[in-house]
């Protein structure tokens, strides 16, 4: 229990663009005295009221996937709230161990995190509860996977069951591509344990959109829909990445679609997880395909999306720390809504936000690091612009250099999507580092009127 709810110390696990956005939004809250990031990046290092803990090692390096390491750190800092950014620590049970020790955590338990960490669990859960998703079969052997492919026909989708850092899904155009990905996952262990079992899934056509909701296990408050851009190059070409840009709200999912996702996906999922004894608290992220027959769930994630968070949080007028404390307390969102005597939704800005990711030359393949980044200051003082760092660090001489594949998230908010796009690219044009590349068409489909 926090000693003083006005003076919260927050420990934030993670160091990407998503975590920079979360740290920035938390530090803005009058309830928060300080945010400690483990490990953070050069962007969080420069935020007021935020400190990076990149030298927390004792005998061995700090491991965010080791619940005991996180517990030790949280105790040492006397953290009032621990916020977990990425999925791995959640799947490893960080929330379970810290909650057991009496700490407040924002993020689901290991058992609730199975919605992301096991695709076969998520699919079986969705079919048990009639949550709209693609038809599927779970296969334990390559032979049964191949017979499932024969039953579905092609194109078909082959998914490693476990966490594979976003690389475990293959959309196979024909039988031989499907067989190859089954072989790689199940016989060559391309994804380790995660690919021992696979899900074979019906191929769905349409546009993709992400709807995230913040939930205390009972009430769920959806954020506006956002759209990610997964392919590395403009025109949706090249290999998949962690995400090269995003925008919010995505007009492709209108008010009726948003109502449908809330009442047919988010709410039934939260109700059913509670009924099954694994209440889900934190952010539930539904990745959806908008098919001709309506929205279908492609995947659940058990955390904020990256780069979606970088366009969602700048539009949130509510106090994120207050929301997270209400979630960590369990069933606090309903109490909060009652106390405020207003409807249950989030307080959101009517603006639009656009994020352009600047990546290292070669990403998502091999890339070099240590490149000096110029122009950050001039770009970040532009009105409506915020730069969330991802793979950056500060050198001994105080210079900001690249340290990862995705380097910067250049975010602009404006009254319209078109204006936000323009502002984001003006800021991008001011930033330079050797080998930098970015997509030039973030939100272009939405602007051309063909949806998101
Ligand atoms: P997932 O991690 O399950 O979201 O899959 C990653 C990406 O693969 C999605 O964002 C889609 O682009 C694609 N994908 C996944 N499932 C399907 C499906 N059933 N039909 C078509 N594309 C899919
Ligand atoms: N943007 C996709 C994800 O966070 O998984």
């Amino acid at each position: 229990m926090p000693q003083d709810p006005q003076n919260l110390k927050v420990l934030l696990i993670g160091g990407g663009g998503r975590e920079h956005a979360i740290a920035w939004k938390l530090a803005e809250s009058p309830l928060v005295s300080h945010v400690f990031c483990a490990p953070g990046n050069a962007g969080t290092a420069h935020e007021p009221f935020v400190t990076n803990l990149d030298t927390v090692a004792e005998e061995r390096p700090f491991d965010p996937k080791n619940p005991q390491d996180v517990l030790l750190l949280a105790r040492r800092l006397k953290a009032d709230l621990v916020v977990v950014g990425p999925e791995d620590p959640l799947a490893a049970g960080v929330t379970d161990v810290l909650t057991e020790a009496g700490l407040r955590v924002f993020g689901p338990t290991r058992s609730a995190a199975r919605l992301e960490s096991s695709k076969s669990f998520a699919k079986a859960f969705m079919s048990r509860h009639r949550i709209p998703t693609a038809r599927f079969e779970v296969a334990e052997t390559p032979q049964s996977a191949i017979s499932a492919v024969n039953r579905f026909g092609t194109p078909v989708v082959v998914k490693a069951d476990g966490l594979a850092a976003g690389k475990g899904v293959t959309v196979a155009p024909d039988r031989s591509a499907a067989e190859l990905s089954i072989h790689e996952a199940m016989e060559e262990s391309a994804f380790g344990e995660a690919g021992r079992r696979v899900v074979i899934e019906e191929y769905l056509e349409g546009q993709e959109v992400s709807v995230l909701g913040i939930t205390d296990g009972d009430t769920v408050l959806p954020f506006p829909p956002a759209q990610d851009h997964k392919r590395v190059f403009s025109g949706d070409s090249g290999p998949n990445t962690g995400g090269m840009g995003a925008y919010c709200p995505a007009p492709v999912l209108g008010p009726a679609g948003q109502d449908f996702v809330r009442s047919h996906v988010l709410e039934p999922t939260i109700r059913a997880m509670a009924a099954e004894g694994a209440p889900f608290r934190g952010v539930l992220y539904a990745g959806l395909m908008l098919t001709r027959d309506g929205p279908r769930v492609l995947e659940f994630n058990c955390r904020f999306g990256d780069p979606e968070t970088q366009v969602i949080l700048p539009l949130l007028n509510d106090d994120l720390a207050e929301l997270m404390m209400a979630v960590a307390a369990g069933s606090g969102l309903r109490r909060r809504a009652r106390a405020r005597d207003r409807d249950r939704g989030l307080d959101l800005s009517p603006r639009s936000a656009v994020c352009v990711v600047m990546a290292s030359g070669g990403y998502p393949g091999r890339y070099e690091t240590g490149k000096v980044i110029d122009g950050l200051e001039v770009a970040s003082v532009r009105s409506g612009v915020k730069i969330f760092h991802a793979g950056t660090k500060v050198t001994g001489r105080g210079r900001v250099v690249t340290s990862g594949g995705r380097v910067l998230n250049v975010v602009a908010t404006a009254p319209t999507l078109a204006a936000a796009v323009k502002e984001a690219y003006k800021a991008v044009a001011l930033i330079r580092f050797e080998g930098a590349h970015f997509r030039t068409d973030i939100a272009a489909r939405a602007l051309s009127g063909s949806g998101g």
Side-chain angles (χ1 to χ4, degrees), residues 92-386:
V94 163
T95 300
D96 308 60
V97 171
L98 271 69
T99 309
E100 183 72 17
L103 293 167
R104 286 206 166 166
V105 188
F106 183 84
T109 59
R110 177 188 170 115
S111 148
R114 280 179 302 164
L115 281 178
E116 175 169 2
S117 65
S118 168
K119 289 195 188 283
S120 58
F121 170 82
K123 295 295 291 189
F125 173 89
M126 285 188 267
S127 56
R128 268 199 304 285
H129 299 289
R130 299 180 188 285
I131 292 160
T133 188
R135 290 183 300 122
F136 72 102
E137 286 183 36
V138 177
E140 309 277 349
T141 63
Q143 294 71 25
S144 61
I146 288 163
S147 21
V149 167
N150 291 339
R151 281 189 288 279
F152 280 112
T154 53
V156 70
V157 186
V158 180
K159 299 184 172 186
D161 184 46
L163 292 179
K167 299 187 183 75
V169 174
T170 308
V171 177
D174 52 41
R175 219 187 112 106
S176 64
E179 281 178 9
L180 180 65
S181 49
I182 290 166
H183 172 72
E184 283 171 352
M186 302 187 91
E187 289 168 331
E188 288 189 347
S189 304
F191 314 109
E193 274 299 304
R196 201 163 285 276
R197 183 189 286 152
V198 300
V199 171
I200 305 295
E201 197 172 286
E202 162 198 21
Y203 172 76
L204 297 177
E205 253 174 302
Q207 291 216 40
E208 284 182 57
V209 72
S210 311
V211 180
L212 284 66
I214 186 163
T215 174
D216 56 8
D218 172 43
T219 300
V220 50
L221 305 177
F223 292 101
Q227 196 173 52
D228 188 4
H229 295 61
K230 291 197 169 113
R231 302 296 197 97
V232 65
F233 300 128
S234 300
D236 283 331
S237 59
N240 268 332
T241 68
M244 292 298 288
Y247 63 97
C248 180
V252 70
L253 191 70
Q258 292 174 43
D259 281 349
F260 179 90
V261 171
R262 178 183 190 144
S263 59
H264 288 75
V265 177
L266 298 177
E267 289 176 348
T269 299
I270 294 309
R271 263 200 312 274
M273 287 299 283
E276 292 192 359
F280 187 103
R281 301 195 176 101
V283 167
L284 178 65
Y285 166 137
L288 302 153
M289 186 71 91
L290 304 179
T291 73
R292 274 201 314 210
D293 304 322
R296 298 281 181 273
V297 177
L298 292 179
E299 64 166 342
F300 281 124
N301 292 323
C302 63
R303 46 160 179 91
F304 273 113
D306 190 340
E308 288 92 333
T309 305
Q310 291 87 305
V311 287
I312 288 174
L313 291 184
L315 302 179
L316 179 69
N317 292 331
D318 283 303
D319 182 329
L320 182 64
E322 194 220 322
L323 285 169
M324 286 181 159
M325 288 298 280
V327 166
S331 72
L333 291 178
R334 184 170 298 187
R335 267 204 306 281
R336 174 180 179 272
R338 259 197 234 118
R340 297 177 160 217
D341 192 24
R342 68 156 207 245
D343 86 353
R344 304 187 308 149
L346 294 168
D347 182 2
L348 297 157
S349 156
R351 292 162 73 90
S352 286
V354 170
C355 167
V356 180
V357 171
M358 298 183 77
S360 294
Y363 173 81
R366 283 166 54 94
Y367 55 84
E368 291 174 8
T369 58
K371 309 291 181 198
V372 173
I373 307 173
D374 285 315
L376 281 171
E377 273 171 32
V378 276
S380 58
V381 295
R382 293 184 65 86
S383 142
V385 170
K386 176 73 194 170

